[in-house]
């Protein structure tokens, strides 16, 4: 690696001050970049079949070559071969972060840090780099999306740091380009293949090494979410809930916009459908998704709609069994206190009297206290009928009921 850097440095300085003035370039960098691009393309097709150390070495080589060339030859970004180097970095980073790759967590983290340093090595090159990566993810290729998210994150931090300078303006423009390319790529690819949506929402396939969190936090507006992303989420939850639920949960963990009532209704429908599933992974997945969504609900009407729709199957006796009821009550556990507390208490206490399953009773007992405390702290009183039911259950001959 060091030898190749020496050769590239010597070749790039030929015919210039600091190098051999009477010599002409031999194209060493072009040959190395061409070979790197071929290897990166091959590896990206099947990361699991290549040793992680080999991928890491090639990735370090590509990053060091990028940093070296931008310093030696500023105009190099205008050459066609520069796109191949950018694509190579993007493909190799995706291969390292892919869960099918044998790379260890420490290697993934180190590679992400190295990629950030590479982008930071030349802030003025970020707009061109963003443009090239955006071109690389056009069509059916999603391999460059993690690197695109990383570039956006670096650009966002630089924009805040640089202030109102010309560079900040160019970075702002490149950020806007990434916004639309990233949103279109994520939404467009996922309509064809759920695997295409994974890197968009959770690049690196692991929250600890996600490179797209900054994009989700800062770039996606309510309009983008409602028009481009939510339709895809609805479709994917219908087709493959057990596969995509962790990804969508990670997305809403980082999504910062509040949910409108209409958006909430569209999300609650597949969540309630998931609670009926006989697949335990799906049930636990929709509960985690609901936990990520509840902080985004800000309207009283949104909470009222949610409580009504979650409790209705229980109160009307239209549940599909113990697992379904348990999942519904776990959804209730994650609803914060507020004006909806009194309605929740009525529903839970009413079910407390009817329920016979111990695990469901435990869920009810875990959900009730905070809402009862909220109502009592506000100076209100519980209805006599509710107090009567609670007193009856306290004196019940069944230990589960007494504990609840």
């Amino acid at each position: 690696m060091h030898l190749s850097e020496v050769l590239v440095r010597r070749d790039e300085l030929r015919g210039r001050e600091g190098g051999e003035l009477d010599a002409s370039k031999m194209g060493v960098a072009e040959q190395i970049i061409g070979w790197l691009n071929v290897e990166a393309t091959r590896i990206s097709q099947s990361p699991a079949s290549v040793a992680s150390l080999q991928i890491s070495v090639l990735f370090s080589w590509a990053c060091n070559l990028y940093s070296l060339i931008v310093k030696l030859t500023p105009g190099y970004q205008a050459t066609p071969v520069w796109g191949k180097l950018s694509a190579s970095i993007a493909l190799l980073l995706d291969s390292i972060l892919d869960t099918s790759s044998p790379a260890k967590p420490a290697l993934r983290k180190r590679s992400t840090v190295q990629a950030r340093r590479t982008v930071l090595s030349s802030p003025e090159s970020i707009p061109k780099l963003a443009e090239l990566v955006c071109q690389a993810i056009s069509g059916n290729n999603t391999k460059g999306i993690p690197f695109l998210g990383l570039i956006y994150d670096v650009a966002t931090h630089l924009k805040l740091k640089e202030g109102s300078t010309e560079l900040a303006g160019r970075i702002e423009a490149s950020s806007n380009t990434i916004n639309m390319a990233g949103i279109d790529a994520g939404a467009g690819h996922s309509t064809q293949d759920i695997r295409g949506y994974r890197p968009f929402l959770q690049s690196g396939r692991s929250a600890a090494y996600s490179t797209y969190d900054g994009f989700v936090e800062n770039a996606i507006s309510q309009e983008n979410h409602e028009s481009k992303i939510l339709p895809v989420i609805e479709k994917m939850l219908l087709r493959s809930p057990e596969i995509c639920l962790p990804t969508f949960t990670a997305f809403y963990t980082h999504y910062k916009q509040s949910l409108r009532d209409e958006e909430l209704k569209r999300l609650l429908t597949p969540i309630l459908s998931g609670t009926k599933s006989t697949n335990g992974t799906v049930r636990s997945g929709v509960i985690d998704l609901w936990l990520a969504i509840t902080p985004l609900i800000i309207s009283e009407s949104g909470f009222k709609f949610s409580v009504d729709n979650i409790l209705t199957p229980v109160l009307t006796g239209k549940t599909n069994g113990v697992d379904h009821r348990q999942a519904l009550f776990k959804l209730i556990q994650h609803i914060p206190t507020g004006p909806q507390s009194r309605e929740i208490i009525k529903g839970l206490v009413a079910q407390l009297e009817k329920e016979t399953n111990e695990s469901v009773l435990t869920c009810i007992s875990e959900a009730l206290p905070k809402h009862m405390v909220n109502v009592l702290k506000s100076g209100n009183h519980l209805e006599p009928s509710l107090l009567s039911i609670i007193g009856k259950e306290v004196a019940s001959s069944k230990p589960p009921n007494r504990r609840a």
Side-chain angles (χ1 to χ4, degrees):
M1 187 184 298
H2 178 67
L3 177 61
S4 67
E5 291 179 8
V6 172
L7 291 174
V8 170
R9 182 185 297 275
R10 182 177 179 182
D11 189 55
E12 290 300 312
L13 291 176
R14 282 194 172 108
R16 296 162 51 189
E17 187 178 350
E20 302 172 44
L21 296 176
D22 57 344
S24 57
K25 286 181 62 174
M26 299 177 64
V28 174
E30 287 80 356
Q31 295 179 48
I32 294 176
I33 290 173
W35 172 76
L36 271 175
N37 186 251
V38 171
E39 288 298 300
T41 303
R42 177 182 65 82
I43 291 171
S44 68
Q45 294 171 355
S46 182
S49 63
V50 184
S52 57
L53 182 60
Q54 180 181 346
I55 304 175
S56 176
V57 170
L58 288 174
F59 180 71
S60 297
W61 204 345
C63 289
N64 291 337
L65 196 59
Y66 178 100
S67 301
L68 178 64
I69 292 177
V70 292
K71 291 178 181 177
L72 294 177
T73 314
Y76 204 90
Q77 294 92 323
T79 62
V81 76
W82 190 249
K84 291 185 177 181
L85 180 57
S86 303
S88 300
I89 295 174
L91 291 173
L92 291 170
L93 179 63
D94 185 272
S95 299
I96 292 172
L97 296 180
D98 196 319
T99 48
S100 65
S101 165
K104 294 182 178 180
L107 176 60
R108 293 176 181 172
K109 184 175 182 180
R110 186 169 68 247
S111 299
T112 302
V113 172
Q114 185 174 15
R116 290 182 181 276
R117 289 175 178 169
T118 300
V119 176
L120 277 169
S121 66
S122 179
E124 61 276 4
S125 302
I126 288 179
K128 183 63 177 178
L129 180 62
E131 179 186 339
L132 292 172
V133 178
C134 286
Q135 292 172 2
I137 65 171
S138 60
N140 292 324
N141 179 27
T142 62
K143 296 291 186 180
I145 291 181
F147 190 47
L148 183 66
L150 185 143
I151 296 171
Y152 177 86
D153 205 28
V154 172
T156 301
H157 284 85
L158 275 177
K159 183 174 62 179
L160 297 174
K161 182 180 177 181
E162 295 292 336
S164 56
T165 64
E166 180 183 354
L167 175 59
R170 294 175 61 206
I171 292 174
E172 174 77 38
S174 67
S175 298
N176 292 335
T177 300
I178 297 173
N179 286 1
M180 295 316 300
I183 292 169
D184 290 341
H189 291 306
S190 58
T191 58
Q192 304 168 25
D193 184 355
I194 180 60
R195 290 172 298 176
Y197 207 59
R198 282 179 175 174
F200 170 63
L201 296 180
Q202 194 180 354
S203 61
R205 288 52 157 199
S206 171
Y209 314 109
S210 177
T211 59
Y212 228 66
D213 295 347
F215 180 89
V216 173
E217 291 176 2
N218 302 304
I220 299 181
S221 64
Q222 284 185 326
E223 289 70 25
N224 294 143
H225 175 262
E226 186 171 8
S227 63
K228 293 190 175 183
I229 296 175
L230 191 53
V232 174
I233 292 177
E234 290 179 293
K235 183 180 293 186
M236 294 300 102
L237 286 176
L238 182 64
R239 290 169 55 184
S240 308
E242 67 281 356
I243 295 175
C244 63
L245 274 168
T247 301
F248 296 147
T249 300
F251 171 81
Y252 282 108
T253 301
H254 297 284
Y255 182 62
K256 298 302 181 184
Q257 306 294 331
S258 60
L259 290 176
R260 301 186 180 104
D261 287 355
E262 184 58 36
E263 293 173 296
L264 175 61
K265 292 175 183 178
R266 293 169 65 181
L267 283 169
L268 189 59
T269 299
I271 288 175
L272 292 176
S273 177
T275 60
K276 301 176 186 178
S277 174
T278 56
N279 187 330
T281 302
V282 174
R283 292 197 305 273
S284 61
V286 294
I287 292 168
D288 291 338
L289 177 59
W290 177 248
L291 177 60
I293 286 173
T294 47
L296 306 177
I297 306 172
I298 60 172
S299 68
E300 184 178 335
S301 59
F303 279 118
K304 185 179 186 308
F305 175 82
S306 301
V307 171
D308 290 345
N309 280 269
I310 294 172
L311 288 178
T312 296
V314 176
L315 299 178
T316 57
K318 295 182 179 179
T319 59
N320 291 354
V322 172
D323 291 335
H324 186 199
R325 294 199 303 276
Q326 190 174 7
L328 290 172
F329 287 127
K330 284 186 177 181
L331 296 183
I332 291 291
Q333 287 179 15
H334 298 311
I335 297 179
T337 58
Q340 65 275 4
S341 291
R342 184 171 290 277
E343 196 65 32
I344 290 175
I345 293 171
K346 289 180 181 178
L348 295 184
V349 172
Q351 187 62 23
L352 189 64
E353 188 178 26
K354 304 174 186 177
E355 189 56 59
T356 57
N357 184 271
E358 186 173 351
S359 61
V360 179
L361 284 170
T362 301
C363 292
I364 294 174
S365 66
E366 290 174 353
L368 261 176
K370 66 178 181 180
H371 294 288
M372 294 182 70
V373 169
N374 179 64
V375 170
L376 295 174
K377 273 188 174 182
S378 62
N380 297 316
H381 300 284
L382 298 177
E383 288 82 349
S385 59
L386 298 179
L387 293 174
S388 175
I389 294 174
I390 294 173
K392 178 183 175 183
E393 295 305 312
V394 169
S396 173
S397 60
K398 300 176 182 177
N401 293 58
R402 292 200 303 271
R403 284 196 296 268

